Amino acid sequence: MRVGIIQSCYLPWRGYFDFIASVDLFLIFDEVQLPNRHDWRIRNAIKTPKGRRWLTVPIARTGPPQRICDTPILTDRPWIADHLALLEEAYASAPHYDRYIEPYRAILRKGHGLLSALNRELTLWLMDELAITTPIESSEPWGEPGRKTARLLSILRAVGATRYLSGPAAADYLDLEAFRASGIGLEYKTYDYAPYPQLWGAFAPAVTVLDLLFNLGSEARHHLRSRQPDTVVLPPAPAFADALARRSS
């Protein structure tokens, strides 16, 4: 079983959904500390007539350590109206804007108190629109406490993974020898996508998947997969994979 583990993101780009579609089980890793800077957990980019603009969810900084799953959304800011206004400015003339803006608006207006809850509901909605059926769970209940690679391997063993799909940035900190000793295979996701028709000039790849949906509608699901295969760093140990297969049969 191929498993992926990533933090939740606000309105992720298409590579995030390609990642989810590439695994048999996707775990949301929001038990980790929120970065001390703006990043994809709380914001994403859109393409507008004035260039790239950011949609940012305002959050309360409660002081370190602050886990992503515990991060509250500030309710005294008009951020929902701001996001809707920016999207209308950028995409009202897109072919499929009307189809997707209302479900998005309805989710925002539920008034989620926590960032993780908002990100997860938006991700599940977008997966449904993209015909992605990969099961999603939180990583928190699985495995034993630990740091970095030890924690990941504990989770992977607990869910019965034979292969772990990681984002390529993790190459800087994952312990290859620990993976080799575990018998669990290690692979890095490759992100290489063809352009698609967009509004407002030259193609911009690093924007929210809403851009893809607004422009292509149901055809968006056919523009998700990377053109290059993922990189296999360590194949699963045959004896380990066979043992798991026997245990699950």
Side-chain angles (χ1 to χ4, degrees), residues 160 162 238-249:
T162 56
F240 175 76
D242 291 345
L244 279 178
R246 288 194 299 271
R247 190 170 67 185
S248 61
S249 62

Side-chain angles (χ1 to χ4, degrees), residues 155-173:
I155 294 168
L156 293 169
R157 284 190 288 263
V159 300
T162 56
R163 296 183 292 160
Y164 174 55
L165 181 64
S166 172
D172 293 336
Y173 63 82

Side-chain angles (χ1 to χ4, degrees), residues 209-236:
V209 76
L210 282 180
D211 182 276
L212 180 65
L213 287 165
F214 287 150
N215 284 297
L216 297 187
S218 60
E219 286 299 305
R221 66 190 62 177
H222 303 302
H223 294 260
L224 282 181
R225 292 308 181 107
S226 175
R227 294 175 292 187
Q228 297 296 322
D230 300 329
T231 302
V232 177
V233 180
L234 293 172

Side-chain angles (χ1 to χ4, degrees), residues 12 21 26 84 86 112 136 139 165 180 191 193-194 197 207 216 222:
F26 181 71
L84 291 169
L86 277 171
H112 297 81
I136 285 190
S139 64
L165 181 64
R180 196 186 311 275
Y191 301 114
Y193 304 103
V207 292
L216 297 187
H222 303 302

Side-chain angles (χ1 to χ4, degrees), residues 93-106:
S93 60
H96 305 281
Y97 171 78
D98 290 339
R99 171 176 173 179
Y100 299 105
I101 196 61
E102 288 306 321
Y104 169 72
R105 188 197 317 270

Side-chain angles (χ1 to χ4, degrees), residues 108-127:
L108 292 195
R109 288 182 171 171
K110 288 184 178 181
H112 297 81
L114 295 175
L115 177 66
S116 284
L118 173 63
N119 286 350
R120 178 167 179 153
E121 183 162 357
L122 286 170
T123 296
L124 289 170
W125 164 60
L126 290 164
M127 285 175 58

